[in-house]
């Protein structure tokens, strides 16, 4: 038998893309669409769980402050702290970890080196697993935020 280079094919899709390696293109393919959909849905479910948990915490401490006495106020606080602030913090962490993608642009703006044409082509045409991970989390947050905007009628 010939022992040539073996490319390990995926036997089944991963339904949750958690590590950066799961976004990498190992055999010329990125994550499957079903993997990206389930990851976005799990982000939405995680945000719903955080919001629900904070709402329950605020119910338990409703006697500490007059703001917590009204159920609508507790729900609004849980939404803005549990969904909006948590997502902003998490996206900021993911963006900070992926800051190497834009480092050439930052260097060109601060006149450290003249690499802007190469940086432009790399940012537009190159696949960055960090960028895909950040985009999937942000898309999941936007799904939850759109739902909340419709339910709470607080959009434009």
């Amino acid at each position: 038998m010939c022992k040539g280079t073996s490319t390990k094919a995926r036997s089944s899709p991963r339904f949750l893309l958690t590590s950066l390696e799961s976004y990498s293109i190992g055999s010329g393919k990125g994550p499957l669409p079903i993997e990206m959909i389930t990851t976005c849905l799990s982000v939405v479910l995680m945000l719903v769980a955080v919001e629900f948990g904070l709402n329950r915490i605020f119910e338990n401490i409703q006697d500490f402050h007059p703001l917590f006495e009204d159920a609508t106020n507790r729900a609004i606080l849980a939404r803005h702290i549990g969904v909006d602030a948590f997502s902003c913090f998490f996206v900021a962490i993911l963006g900070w970890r992926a800051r190497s993608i834009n480092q050439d642009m930052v260097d060109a703006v601060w006149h450290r080196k003249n690499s802007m044409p190469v940086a432009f082509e790399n940012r537009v045409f190159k696949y960055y697993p960090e960028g895909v991970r950040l985009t999937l989390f942000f898309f999941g947050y936007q799904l939850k935020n759109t739902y909340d905007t419709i339910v709470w009628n607080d959009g434009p």
Side-chain angles (χ1 to χ4, degrees), residues 15 32 35 44 48 52 56 61 67 71 85 103 106 119 137 140:
F15 288 107
L32 297 174
E35 295 171 339
V44 171
V48 167
F52 182 77
R56 296 299 155 248
I61 62 170
L67 183 68
Q103 191 61 44
V106 171
F137 184 86

Side-chain angles (χ1 to χ4, degrees), residues 65-108:
H65 195 275
L67 183 68
F68 294 130
E69 290 175 358
D70 187 24
T72 304
N73 289 344
R74 290 192 304 265
I76 290 171
L77 276 174
R79 174 180 164 214
H80 288 304
I81 293 172
V83 176
D84 297 338
F86 177 75
S87 296
C88 181
F89 179 71
F90 198 75
V91 167
I93 288 173
L94 290 177
W96 180 258
R97 293 175 77 185
R99 68 187 180 275
S100 62
I101 295 171
N102 289 329
Q103 191 61 44
D104 288 336
M105 182 182 70
V106 171
D107 289 342

